[in-house]
Amino acid sequence: MAATASDPPGDCPSFVPVSFELFPPRTDAAAIALGRTIDRLAEVDPAFISVTFGAGGSSRQRSLTVLRYMLEHTRAEPMAHLTCVGSSHVEANRLVREFLDAGITSFLALRGDPPADADPDAGIGDLGSAAELVQLIHRVQEEREPFEQVRVPGNPGASRIRERPRPERVAVAAFPTGHPRSRGVGQDIDTLLAKEIAGANLAITQLFWRADDYLGFVERARAGGVTIPILPGIMPVTTPARLARLTELTGVEPPAELSINLEIEPDAAAQIELGVAFATRLAADVLAGGAPGLHLYTFNRHEAVLDVVDRLGIRADRLAHERNTTR
Ligand code: FAD
């Protein structure tokens, strides 16, 4: 069934892990505003907040600054997006180490895209896929932790090698409506399975506009052997210009109903209502279909995504859940 903005929300599970995505700010003023946004997002106790990584590492320092802010000022778990396209083994190794040294233990491992004007003969670097970056993250984490002998409790004289900590989450991207360069859904599922085999323990999807696109993809992924949770990525889109830009960036066509309604609605508040209502409906439908949580794209604004969370009743239920489980 296609999600529409006019339907009432369906049945939602009572406790739903929610996570958010931000991008690093480009100006000092945007950085100050982003600090306030992070504080507000952290109030709903998200499972994690992820920070994107500019193509070719262009945002490395700015991404790290945002992730450090989260570590120092909130209880939210920061997740760093990392891309490997164009990097040598040594550069990718150094990058992963730098983020681990900063205290980041959750990653979204991506291949990334070569710049549009890149020389096609130049190659894409030493790491050809996100799966290789997943393996590298695990390897670098292990190398940082020296082997250590620990005593076996209750068995005097006995010792064993201490288990070395693994990164908390190593997430990867998934494409419910297909990656723009993929030859077909079979290749998208095979790529996701390869990333799971490489050590990914979570997948986060590209935007999609119909609940069936996500639910059908999960079904095919399960049939293809993928077992890791697949989080649906949803964004409340509140202006026609942003919808047009997203379509250009992702290549995922929105339903005509949403684009036309946003386009013909002259009032900004009514446009916001359209976008939030649509995203809430879509979120409710995928949750009713078994989605293990929600990953909300924020566009660095807290208002619309927190409105979606409120309308789904997730915030109140999360607090109630915590009270019940800590008794
Ligand atoms: P991979 O998993 O390596 O592969 C992606 C697709 O490419 C596959 O599905 C497959 O169809 C095809 N493919 C893979 N290997 C081959 C092969 N050998 N031959 C032919 N086709 C192949 N980009 C950024 O620069 N920064 C970000 O912060 C960022 N965050 C993202 C967050 C999410 C949730 C998503 C969904 C995407 C994000 N991207 C980001 C975009 C991403 O980098 C691009 O979509 C990129 O083209 C693919 O990256 P990947 O990790 O999915 O690659």
Side-chain angles (χ1 to χ4, degrees), residues 52-53 81 110-113 130 175 179 182 187-188 195 297:
T52 64
F53 191 77
H81 295 209
L110 299 145
R111 185 191 59 187
D113 292 308
F175 297 84
H179 185 275
S182 134
Q187 190 186 357
D188 289 308
K195 294 192 271 196
Y297 294 103

Side-chain angles (χ1 to χ4, degrees), residues 50-207:
S50 76
V51 181
T52 64
F53 191 77
S58 54
S59 75
R60 194 178 96 253
Q61 277 313 324
R62 286 179 287 124
S63 297
L64 257 182
T65 305
V66 177
L67 293 159
R68 282 204 182 98
Y69 177 90
M70 275 186 239
L71 274 179
E72 287 161 16
H73 299 277
T74 73
R75 287 195 314 139
E77 176 186 314
M79 175 185 280
H81 295 209
L82 292 183
T83 65
C84 57
V85 73
S87 302
S88 67
H89 272 300
V90 173
E91 286 163 345
N93 200 298
R94 199 181 299 136
L95 177 71
V96 172
R97 194 170 280 270
E98 185 180 9
F99 278 68
L100 284 166
D101 287 347
I104 307 302
T105 54
S106 289
F107 296 92
L108 174 52
L110 299 145
R111 185 191 59 187
D113 292 308
D117 57 357
D119 173 0
D121 297 327
I124 60 166
D126 286 347
L127 283 76
S129 71
E132 289 175 59
L133 181 58
V134 169
Q135 285 178 321
L136 181 73
I137 291 170
H138 285 296
R139 208 163 49 239
V140 175
Q141 166 78 354
E142 286 195 354
E143 282 165 8
R144 289 174 79 250
E145 300 286 336
F147 280 108
E148 202 185 345
Q149 297 277 110
V150 290
R151 289 182 192 287
V152 177
N155 192 351
S159 67
R160 61 172 171 77
I161 302 280
R162 180 175 66 93
E163 212 171 278
R164 293 184 294 175
R166 291 174 70 77
E168 202 109 21
R169 290 179 221 258
V170 181
V172 290
F175 297 84
T177 55
H179 185 275
R181 299 236 173 82
S182 134
R183 285 187 296 271
V185 71
Q187 190 186 357
D188 289 308
I189 304 288
D190 287 349
T191 308
L192 184 54
L193 185 59
K195 294 192 271 196
E196 173 172 343
I197 291 167
N201 51 22
L202 177 70
I204 303 177
T205 76
Q206 178 63 285
L207 286 178

